[in-house]
């Protein structure tokens, strides 16, 4: 018998249909994964279950009874927890206060729950994961990685029956990801029902009981574990085979752009220089150092920032306005904007990068996270800068978009161009980088050359279980 059932679900946003006539069943005490490209409807579908969005047409059933939540609070009352890809945290409050707030009956009082009890419970979860979060520190002072862990902790503290994980391992090291996946399996063993959204198909293959594939808002099919290979999953997601570009031929890497004083770090032309490490281990400080060097050396640069929502965009502005903000000098003559040229360039770029929907008049908030990221990467490469700072360039994007971004970075770095790649995704660092360093607690290890270290060895450096000497 189905525990969760979506029956002929359609969700429209104006003229855009995010989910189209989807019928899907999820069994109790299983791990059910939902995969698809950015804009395929994955997040929208689970937001309907989580009470964050309302159904346009169709019905949902929970444990055999009609289920129609009016809000996230309704989902909460039905013991459904949602671990969001984009954090839902009060930045001015401490981590502990966020946990207390999420546990309170009306979501507005910090006094309805015993803080000491919540603190002990939270510390117990942290011990299980081996995580270190200062629960008395304000969220705005926590690293991105720590905020991600807090989101997971916040959901688990509610002791839900159904847990929706949206890209839960995006900022974790390999060993941490493995531990989280093991914990998800433990939750299943305790009778919890897990809905998992992830672009990491090896994780999907590893722990899923069933896998549903969405494409352009429609359900392709649902498969039992073991039926599909990773390659077959990817092909069904995007409708074609993924081809990795390993044949980029660069010019000789010998021209040095600059060196960072008092370190062994230098950037060279025609290379991709990687920075690996769990977020919150010194990346932000090092990025600032590199940006200062770009300015000092009069380098024209593109900047794919660590956090697009906080640092790169204004969500209420449309794509045309975002293009103008970044490339004002290219479209302004004597203080007048050449709007025709601006619109043409933005439209061409959006279509070239397959940003969905291809409507440049929509505000950025109306696009999925992956389509926002594709737009930002395209915008930062548009003027062919001398050097590109790419912080987590493929976070939250699907395999097709990841392929596009990776191949674009490889092509861009061919001829005297440089990419500074910051990523917590080791596969990405190892695939793209010519040389890389590893950060752990503000200590720098390396540089290392491609294939010098195994993924396991890099993971040990990232988590501090190493004997290496920092620079």
């Amino acid at each position: 018998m189905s525990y969760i059932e979506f029956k002929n679900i359609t969700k429209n946003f104006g003229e855009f249909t995010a989910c189209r006539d989807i019928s899907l069943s999820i069994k109790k005490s299983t791990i059910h994964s939902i995969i698809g490209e950015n804009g395929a409807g994955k997040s929208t579908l689970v937001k309907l279950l989580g009470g964050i969005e309302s159904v346009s047409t169709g019905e949902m059933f929970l444990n055999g009874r009609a289920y129609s939540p009016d809000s996230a609070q309704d989902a909460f009352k039905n013991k459904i927890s949602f671990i969001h890809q984009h954090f839902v945290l009060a930045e001015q409050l401490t981590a502990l206060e966020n946990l207390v707030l999420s546990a309170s009956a009306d979501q507005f009082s910090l006094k309805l729950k015993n803080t000491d009890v919540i603190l002990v419970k939270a510390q117990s979860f942290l011990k299980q994961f081996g995580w270190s979060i200062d629960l008395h520190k304000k969220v705005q002072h926590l690293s991105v990685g720590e905020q991600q862990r807090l989101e997971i902790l916040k959901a688990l503290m509610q002791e839900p029956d159904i847990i929706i994980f949206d890209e839960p391992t995006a900022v974790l090291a390999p060993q941490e990801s493995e531990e989280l996946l093991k914990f998800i399996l433990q939750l299943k063993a305790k009778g919890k029902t897990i809905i998992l959204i992830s672009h990491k198909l090896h994780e999907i293959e590893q722990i899923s009981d069933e896998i549903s594939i969405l494409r352009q808002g429609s359900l392709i099919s649902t498969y039992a574990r073991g039926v599909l290979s990773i390659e077959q999953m990817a092909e069904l997601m995007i409708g074609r085979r993924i081809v990795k570009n390993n044949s980029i031929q660069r010019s000789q890497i010998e021209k040095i752009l600059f060196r960072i004083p008092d370190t062994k770090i230098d950037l060279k032309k025609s290379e991709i220089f990687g920075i690996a490490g769990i977020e919150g281990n010194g990346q932000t400080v090092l990025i600032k150092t590199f940006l200062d060097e770009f300015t000092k050396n009069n380098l024209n640069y593109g900047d794919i920032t660590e956090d697009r929502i906080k640092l790169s965009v204004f969500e209420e502005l449309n794509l045309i306005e975002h293009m103008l903000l970044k490339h004002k000098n290219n479209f302004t003559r004597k203080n007048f904007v050449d709007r025709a040229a601006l619109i043409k360039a933005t439209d061409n770029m959006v279509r070239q990068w397959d940003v969905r929907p291809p409507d440049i008049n929509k505000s950025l908030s109306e696009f999925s996270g992956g389509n926002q990221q594709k737009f930002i990467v395209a915008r930062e490469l548009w003027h062919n800068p001398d050097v590109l700072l790419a912080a987590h360039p493929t976070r939250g994007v699907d395999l097709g978009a990841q392929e596009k971004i990776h191949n674009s970075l490889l092509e861009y770095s061919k001829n005297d161009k440089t990419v500074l790649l910051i990523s917590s995704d080791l596969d990405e660092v190892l695939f793209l980088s010519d040389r890389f360093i590893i950060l752990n607690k503000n200590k720098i290890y390396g540089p290392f050359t491609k294939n010098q270290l195994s993924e396991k060895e890099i993971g040990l450096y990232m988590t501090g279980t190493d004997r290496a000497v920092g620079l």
Side-chain angles (χ1 to χ4, degrees):
M1 179 180 173
S2 298
Y3 182 44
I4 303 166
E5 185 175 1
F6 299 91
K7 189 173 181 181
N8 304 117
I9 292 293
T10 292
K11 175 60 181 176
N12 299 313
F13 293 97
E15 296 180 358
F16 176 68
T17 301
C19 295
R20 182 180 294 103
D21 196 29
I22 293 176
S23 293
L24 171 64
S25 297
I26 297 174
K27 298 181 180 72
K28 187 178 178 64
S29 303
T30 62
I31 300 173
H32 194 113
S33 294
I34 302 175
I35 62 175
E37 288 191 277
N38 295 122
K42 311 180 299 295
S43 293
T44 299
L45 188 65
V46 293
K47 283 179 179 177
L48 297 174
L49 181 65
I52 299 167
E53 298 287 355
S54 58
V55 172
S56 297
T57 62
E59 297 175 286
M60 291 187 290
F61 296 88
L62 187 58
N63 205 17
R65 293 180 295 182
Y67 170 69
S68 182
D70 292 322
S71 66
Q73 275 297 95
D74 282 350
F76 178 82
K77 291 173 185 175
N78 282 277
K79 292 197 169 185
I80 299 173
S81 281
F82 200 131
I83 299 173
H84 298 268
Q85 180 181 352
H86 302 299
F87 312 139
V88 183
L89 298 168
E91 294 195 343
Q92 297 299 319
L93 300 180
T94 66
L96 180 59
E97 287 170 339
N98 271 271
L99 295 178
V100 174
L101 184 62
S102 69
S104 65
D106 60 3
Q107 297 287 293
F108 292 100
S109 171
L110 297 182
K111 299 177 181 179
L112 296 184
K113 293 288 180 177
N114 189 315
T115 301
D116 291 336
V117 172
I118 291 176
L119 178 60
V120 170
K121 189 175 180 180
Q123 288 173 334
S124 174
F125 274 115
L126 291 175
K127 187 175 181 181
Q128 286 184 50
F129 280 113
W131 290 348
S132 178
I133 302 175
D134 184 349
L135 295 175
H136 299 289
K137 185 182 285 187
K138 286 188 176 182
V139 167
Q140 62 185 352
H141 299 309
L142 295 177
S143 69
V144 176
E146 289 171 325
Q147 291 183 37
Q148 172 73 22
R149 296 182 187 95
L150 181 59
E151 276 285 1
I152 294 172
L153 184 60
K154 188 176 71 172
L156 296 179
M157 292 279 289
Q158 298 169 3
E159 298 184 359
D161 292 331
I162 299 167
I163 308 173
I164 302 166
F165 285 92
D166 192 354
E167 303 288 350
T169 64
V171 297
L172 303 181
Q175 289 89 339
E176 291 178 312
S177 295
E178 284 298 318
E179 287 302 313
L180 180 58
L181 295 179
K182 288 178 184 176
F183 190 75
I184 290 175
L185 288 169
Q186 290 173 1
L187 291 173
K188 170 193 163 184
K190 292 177 180 178
K192 307 297 184 185
T193 302
I194 309 297
I195 301 174
L196 175 63
I197 295 175
S198 176
H199 290 109
K200 297 183 179 181
L201 296 187
H202 63 282
E203 295 178 355
I204 297 291
E205 182 187 49
Q206 184 179 340
I207 69 170
S208 301
D209 294 300
E210 290 189 303
I211 303 163
S212 293
I213 301 174
L214 301 185
R215 191 196 306 158
Q216 296 183 7
S218 298
L219 176 68
I220 299 302
S221 192
T222 296
Y223 300 87
R225 179 181 181 179
V227 172
L228 298 177
S229 67
I230 290 176
E231 291 75 18
Q232 288 171 323
M233 283 187 234
E235 189 170 343
L236 285 168
M237 279 170 56
I238 66 174
R240 62 177 177 81
R241 294 186 64 184
I242 293 285
V243 179
K244 279 204 168 187
N245 191 346
N246 290 296
S247 60
I248 295 293
Q249 298 296 317
R250 297 192 184 92
S251 58
Q252 289 293 322
I253 302 174
E254 51 188 34
K255 300 175 184 175
I256 294 178
L257 277 176
F258 60 80
R259 288 187 173 88
I260 301 292
D262 303 319
T263 73
K264 296 178 183 177
I265 301 173
D266 56 42
L267 281 194
K268 299 175 182 178
K269 293 186 176 183
S270 299
E271 80 162 345
I272 297 178
F273 187 91
I275 299 175
I278 302 167
E279 289 182 77
N281 279 274
Q283 287 90 338
T284 300
V285 173
L286 193 55
I287 286 171
K288 185 179 185 305
T289 300
F290 274 107
L291 290 174
D292 289 343
E293 290 295 326
F294 295 167
T295 302
K296 189 184 301 181
N297 287 275
N298 295 316
L299 294 171
N300 182 12
Y301 67 90
D303 185 7
I304 302 168
T305 60
E306 287 183 279
D307 188 327
R308 63 174 173 264
I309 301 301
K310 290 182 181 177
L311 303 173
S312 292
V313 300
F314 299 92
E315 288 192 287
E316 69 278 8
L317 298 185
N318 65 31
L319 303 192
I320 300 169
E321 292 163 333
H322 276 99
M323 188 69 164
L324 181 62
L325 281 176
K326 177 65 182 183
H327 301 296
K328 182 179 178 180
N329 292 339
N330 295 85
F331 299 107
T332 305
R333 301 287 183 273
K334 296 181 180 179
N335 295 323
F336 288 96
V337 175
D338 186 343
R339 188 162 177 81
L342 173 63
I343 290 172
K344 182 178 180 181
T346 308
D347 188 63
N348 287 343
M349 186 182 75
V350 161
R351 294 183 185 282
Q352 180 187 349
W353 278 79
D354 192 26
V355 176
R356 302 178 190 175
D359 184 347
I360 60 178
N361 291 298
K362 281 186 176 293
S363 64
L364 201 75
S365 62
E366 297 180 77
F367 293 85
S368 69
N371 280 293
Q372 289 180 13
Q373 187 71 356
K374 282 196 288 185
F375 173 77
I376 290 166
V377 173
R379 184 187 68 171
E380 297 304 313
L381 280 171
W382 182 81
H383 63 306
N384 197 31
D386 299 320
V387 60
L388 176 70
L389 190 154
H392 313 288
T394 61
R395 173 180 290 162
V397 305
D398 57 70
L399 289 178
Q402 184 183 92
E403 176 194 37
K404 170 73 173 175
I405 292 170
H406 282 176
N407 288 341
S408 294
L409 295 183
L410 289 166
E411 284 286 349
Y412 164 78
S413 64
K414 279 172 59 175
N415 299 308
D416 287 345
K417 302 295 183 181
T418 304
V419 176
L420 177 63
L421 172 70
I422 300 97
S423 181
S424 55
D425 184 339
L426 284 192
D427 290 336
E428 185 165 66
V429 173
L430 293 174
F431 174 64
L432 292 175
S433 302
D434 299 291
R435 296 182 300 139
F436 63 92
I437 59 174
I438 304 168
L439 293 183
N440 177 251
K441 295 179 180 177
N442 297 303
K443 186 181 288 186
I444 300 171
Y445 300 101
F448 303 101
T449 57
K450 187 184 282 290
N451 302 322
Q452 185 175 342
L453 299 177
S454 68
E455 184 171 317
K456 182 177 180 180
E457 288 172 321
I458 298 172
L460 292 175
Y461 277 105
M462 288 170 66
T463 52
T465 49
D466 61 274
R467 297 180 180 178
V469 178
L471 295 180

